[in-house]
Amino acid sequence: MKMSNVARAAMAALIGAAVAGTAHAEIKNYEFQLVQPTIKAGADRIVTVRLVDKTSGKAVPDAVIFASRLDMTPDGMQEMATKVTPMPGTEPGTYRFKATFGMAGRWQLSLGAKVQGETGTVENKLVVTAEK
């Protein structure tokens, strides 16, 4: 049986649409956002971030955070770093970290994460302001 060019084009379009419909979002479509951009300086403070799919605006649960760093790079003191301890999230798509903000100023929270079903790494640098 012969297939016309129009039929071939239609079939190719249907196959392309089916493949595109099952494809995942690109890793660049994900970002971390601070839930609260300011925090009180001191020990054992909790910073909460939300991982968001920018195309849908929905929070992304169950990501694997494998890298975190908190330092004062925004204020030119990258050597002023502090330990970051992951904590359980309070709702799906939120990720919490406990840290000591030794002084007031701008702190950079650097995060790296894997999103389930996606290739690549979500990497963001967020600025948290610690106040007296």
Side-chain angles (χ1 to χ4, degrees):
M1 208 185 249
K2 285 188 172 183
M3 188 182 276
S4 71
N5 287 340
V6 172
R8 280 190 195 129
M11 185 173 286
L14 285 173
I15 291 170
V19 170
T22 60
H24 294 285
E26 290 188 39
I27 202 71
K28 68 180 181 180
N29 291 335
Y30 297 94
E31 73 176 0
F32 283 102
Q33 299 171 347
L34 286 169
V35 171
Q36 192 170 13
T38 59
I39 195 162
K40 194 140 180 88
D44 296 332
R45 302 297 184 208
I46 303 293
V47 176
T48 304
V49 298
R50 182 177 296 115
L51 181 58
V52 177
D53 179 342
K54 295 187 290 186
T55 58
S56 68
K58 293 182 180 178
V60 179
D62 304 322
V64 178
I65 310 291
F66 64 87
S68 58
R69 178 178 166 85
L70 185 63
D71 60 42
M72 292 194 77
T73 295
D75 284 346
M77 295 182 279
Q78 55 274 15
E79 68 281 352
M80 180 77 164
T82 189
K83 181 180 174 188
V84 180
T85 305
M87 304 290 290
T90 55
E91 58 188 69
T94 62
Y95 303 86
R96 297 171 19 150
F97 304 93
K98 181 169 62 171
T100 297
F101 290 81
M103 62 186 292
R106 294 177 300 154
W107 292 77
Q108 179 173 279
L109 177 61
S110 303
L111 296 171
K114 293 285 188 184
V115 175
Q116 293 190 18
E118 300 294 343
T119 56
T121 302
V122 178
E123 294 181 28
N124 286 129
K125 296 180 186 311
L126 307 169
V127 176
V128 180
T129 302
E131 299 176 337
K132 292 182 183 184

